[in-house]
Amino acid sequence: MVTTRASKRRRKNQNVPTEEDEQEQPPQAEAEGIDDDSRKSADESPVVVLAHGAGAPSSSDWMIRWKGMLAKTLQAIEVVTFDYPYIAGGKRRAPPKAEKLVDFHCDIVRKAMAKYPGHPLVLAGKSMGSRVSCMVAGEKDIAVSAVVCLGYPLKGMSGAVRDDTLLQLKVPVMFVQGSKDGLCPLEKLEAVRKKMNSVAALHVIEGGDHSFKIGKKHLQSTGSNQEEAEQQAVEAIAAFVLENLKET
């Protein structure tokens, strides 16, 4: 399920379909769900910078799986992953405030931009990593084509809605949220999306939690499976990114 709201600044109409080892070569597999006429040329293949969540590093199973899916379906020239200093090298310290991670994250992004000049830049992140990605997207010297938020942590520890960063965004953003994610109630996200000035699309993984894990009862009742649900989400991401690359 995907919903989208048109940007107040860019256009009136847009249709969007309904928390590792880095690869040096672009993936050869074709993206699913995208017509041949819409295939990107080599120079248009995006470079994706994917940030991990607060509790697990880039080597987690979740991150490795999503890195692979994004690389394949977005036909990315590379999906760059990294570890924030507080968790690098097997450290298990508590994460600092998201704002304190922005400078480090920016350095990673700038290196990716320098490595692949001329390629569209997509910032993606799991939970906390998505929030920092949105902050990085606001930096003046970083030209971002789109931001992909995988389980955006809209509610803070106090329960307050953290929407300041989202309301300042001027680049297209795609939210992928589990319908049972306690850190991002869909009704609260919808209220924020209505106030945003950027294109803000949403794909909901029905029955999914903060990491998109779907309970067995829900899977049985719907006749679906985890892999299917995640593949549908990544195809929605690819369609959103492709649409917005055409606009730039």
Side-chain angles (χ1 to χ4, degrees), residues 15 48 57 77-78 99 114 157 165 168-169 176 178 189 194 208 239:
N15 293 319
V48 181
I77 190 167
E78 185 175 358
E99 293 81 359
M157 294 296 291
T165 298
Q168 293 171 14
L169 272 178
V176 179
L189 179 59
K194 289 179 179 178

Side-chain angles (χ1 to χ4, degrees), residues 19 22-25 53 67 71 107 121 128 131 143 159 185-186 196 212 228 238:
E19 181 174 86
E22 294 180 10
Q23 301 175 9
E24 292 298 325
Q25 298 298 324
K67 176 180 179 177
D107 287 343
L121 172 66
M128 179 195 73
R131 188 162 176 252
L186 295 181
M196 290 175 66
F212 310 149
E228 244 176 29

